[in-house]
Amino acid sequence: MSSRGATVIRLCAATIRSANASAGTVKAMFPLRLRAFSSSSTRLSRPPRREITTCGSAANAAHDCAPTIAEVLRTAPRPFEVKFVGPGTGTALTAGLLAKATLYVQPGGDDLQRTWRDLRGSADMIRDWIRGGGSYLGLCFGGYLAGHNPGFGLLPGDTDGYAGSPGSEVPDDRDTVLKVDWQGQPRHMYFQDGPAFHLTGGANATVLATYSNGAAAVVVASYGNGRVGVSGPHPEATAEWYEGKGLTNPDGVRLDLARELIERTTGQR
């Protein structure tokens, strides 16, 4: 989830390591929430082509955002293997780990100010790594952190809450399903207090989806030699998320949008 509210959660840093048999070993990094995530659940029936080391965690958000996106990455057409690192894991986020990574994922969470205090000491290191060719994926809360004040300052523009904004159909921070325009196609996505993205004119960025009021909902932008992919809604949401809130997605629960965003963020398409 993403919220600028008062619920306190702690995010650790995370690395993602990517191993491609034909191209050598590539790594990626991202912060994930750690909760109810055992090593036995990470096994694949075939050897993964990528290994992801998560650098961030948040223990108290409403959904298991980090384990959910980790599972999407593990089961992608080009699968990732996920390993958690950061506070509480015994493995720190370092420049050495980032140097071996291709992707850093900042998943959903709460309490932006508290999380930024935990992450800002690593901000310059993360920015330098992305500028040098790494990729950042920010979902909901992670989308806010791609902006400024506080945030990594990765976007050509900034973020603001979509709920309650002019023309928004969402009046507050409730969990809901909303309709977006995904490259000309109507799609429905899980949403809980995520950001809209306000890009500067002429920005080197692709808007993959817009909200009903025309604001950008999903964006992939350049940052130096790297890429930044951000989403206000949750493309990774599972059936359990919908069922837990009594919600239904008219499109069915599908992961194609999450996979497209991952592929565009990492330069796979």
Side-chain angles (χ1 to χ4, degrees), residues 12-17 28-34 37 52-57 66 69-70 73 81-86 89 91 93 104-105:
C12 325
T15 40
I16 303 171
R17 192 184 306 171
M29 298 196 59
F30 68 95
L32 292 185
R33 283 186 17 184
L34 297 176
F37 192 68
I52 301 166
T53 309
T54 60
C55 317
S57 73
I69 186 60
L73 288 160
E81 178 185 344
V82 179
K83 176 183 177 182
F84 295 97
V85 302
T89 69
T91 304
L93 173 61
Y104 179 98
V105 179

Side-chain angles (χ1 to χ4, degrees), residues 156-170:
D158 209 350
T159 70
D160 198 7
Y162 177 66
S165 64
S168 171
E169 72 277 36
V170 185

Side-chain angles (χ1 to χ4, degrees), residues 21-169:
S22 61
T25 298
V26 188
K27 293 183 182 177
M29 298 196 59
F30 68 95
L32 292 185
R33 283 186 17 184
L34 297 176
R35 187 170 71 173
F37 192 68
S38 66
S39 60
S40 62
S41 67
T42 67
R43 295 176 184 170
L44 295 171
S45 58
R46 52 179 172 155
R49 297 171 68 183
R50 297 197 172 172
E51 177 181 321
I52 301 166
T53 309
T54 60
C55 317
S57 73
N60 298 318
H63 295 295
D64 290 325
C65 298
T68 298
I69 186 60
E71 185 64 17
V72 173
L73 288 160
R74 276 193 223 99
T75 58
R78 296 177 62 184
F80 294 77
E81 178 185 344
V82 179
K83 176 183 177 182
F84 295 97
V85 302
T89 69
T91 304
L93 173 61
T94 65
L97 287 174
L98 278 172
K100 301 172 184 177
T102 57
L103 179 65
Y104 179 98
V105 179
Q106 184 75 53
D110 290 290
D111 194 348
L112 192 67
Q113 297 294 333
R114 172 64 177 273
T115 300
W116 181 242
R117 287 197 297 271
D118 290 341
L119 292 176
R120 64 185 175 188
S122 301
D124 286 342
M125 177 177 65
I126 292 170
R127 280 191 288 261
D128 288 345
W129 171 77
I130 299 169
R131 192 180 293 115
S135 297
Y136 174 101
L137 177 63
L139 302 174
C140 197
F141 185 81
Y144 282 116
L145 283 171
H148 304 261
N149 301 319
F152 295 110
L154 303 174
L155 292 173
D158 209 350
T159 70
D160 198 7
Y162 177 66
S165 64
S168 171
E169 72 277 36

Side-chain angles (χ1 to χ4, degrees), residues 10 35 70 87 120 136 161 172 178 199 202 205 208 214 218 227 233 239 253:
R10 303 183 56 127
R35 187 170 71 173
R120 64 185 175 188
Y136 174 101
D172 50 37
L178 51 66
L199 305 177
L208 295 180
V218 183
R227 295 190 185 198
V253 179

